[in-house]
Amino acid sequence: MVNIVIFASGNGTNAENIARHFAGSNSVKVAALFTGNPRAGAIERMSRYGVPCRIFSREQWNNPVEIVDELKRLDTRLIVLAGFLSMVHKPVIDAVGGNIINIHPSLLPRHGGKGMWGINVHRAVLEAGDRESGITIHYVTEEIDGGSIICQRRCPVLPGDTPEELAMRVHALEYEAFPAVIEQLAAQL
Ligand code: GAR
């Protein structure tokens, strides 16, 4: 059994989709949700699948001794960032030997970096007049959105799209691709 821990800060639809996908799996277990936001929708969503949540303070994320301890206690082999806002520091990356991945709602390197999160990304895609968008699943390093790319999926940007409409199309790609990538990586661990 490969234990994974999901980090999420927001609504948590990707986190829930992953928990649903692996519910009853005998190869991958979603061992916990870690967040820095006590109001994250992800907390309630994950509780529906019996996934426990740990809420850490800003100080604990900045100096992640307890976070690393908890990752080790849970025998974490892979960390999955699913809409996670805080910086991830090196001790956390090292705690899982670099097996830490993120999903980003654009075709990196376009529309990545600081402040590029959620709906802001879709606004930037529309403002730039891009004809296509998509998702990027990549390894996490200390550089925001900088790690090596594992996979990308594309979708069209349609004339008259609102950021919310584009977000829905991109979310559909996320729900399909993310659990499959996690399953593949876990099989290699
Ligand atoms: C997702 O679209 C994810 O790609 C994005 O936040 C959304 C979270 O939605 N992540 C980033 O923008 C990271 N830079 P969710 O909470 O419903 O899963």
Side-chain angles (χ1 to χ4, degrees):
M1 185 67 89
V2 173
N3 286 345
I4 70 171
V5 168
I6 299 180
F7 291 5
S9 307
N11 191 8
T13 64
N14 275 285
E16 181 178 12
N17 182 54
I18 294 162
R20 186 188 305 116
H21 181 90
F22 291 112
S25 162
N26 49 24
S27 53
V28 174
K29 178 179 177 193
V30 181
L33 169 75
F34 286 11
T35 187
N37 176 11
R39 288 179 303 281
I43 300 171
E44 207 271 317
R45 289 179 184 277
M46 298 301 269
S47 72
R48 295 176 197 164
Y49 295 87
V51 176
C53 174
R54 288 290 319 265
I55 302 168
F56 294 99
S57 66
R58 185 190 294 260
E59 293 70 32
Q60 286 172 310
W61 284 107
N62 285 338
N63 179 20
V65 183
E66 287 102 336
I67 293 172
V68 166
D69 282 351
E70 189 65 0
L71 288 169
K72 299 232 148 131
R73 191 185 69 77
L74 293 166
D75 189 23
T76 311
R77 308 277 294 287
L78 176 70
I79 299 172
V80 173
L81 273 54
F84 184 65
L85 261 182
S86 310
M87 284 291 298
V88 176
H89 293 295
K90 194 167 181 299
V92 171
I93 298 171
D94 291 345
V96 288
N99 291 311
I100 171 166
I101 61 173
N102 178 47
I103 193 160
H104 185 83
S106 75
L107 297 169
L108 289 174
R110 282 190 77 68
H111 311 297
K114 206 169 181 325
M116 281 297 164
W117 194 84
I119 204 77
N120 295 341
V121 177
H122 305 302
R123 281 199 192 103
V125 168
L126 294 176
E127 274 163 25
D130 293 0
R131 304 281 295 276
E132 65 172 2
S133 189
I135 63 165
T136 304
I137 299 172
H138 63 93
Y139 283 102
V140 172
T141 62
E142 283 194 288
E143 185 194 346
I144 301 176
D145 298 326
S148 63
I149 291 175
I150 301 165
C151 95
Q152 292 188 309
R153 295 272 188 281
R154 290 161 193 277
C155 65
V157 176
L158 300 179
D161 262 351
T162 63
E164 290 74 19
E165 285 164 342
L166 180 56
M168 276 177 62
R169 207 170 301 125
V170 168
H171 267 307
L173 296 178
E174 295 185 323
Y175 300 151
E176 197 185 305
F178 212 8
V181 167
I182 293 166
E183 198 161 316
Q184 266 174 24
L185 292 180
Q188 294 159 19
L189 290 175

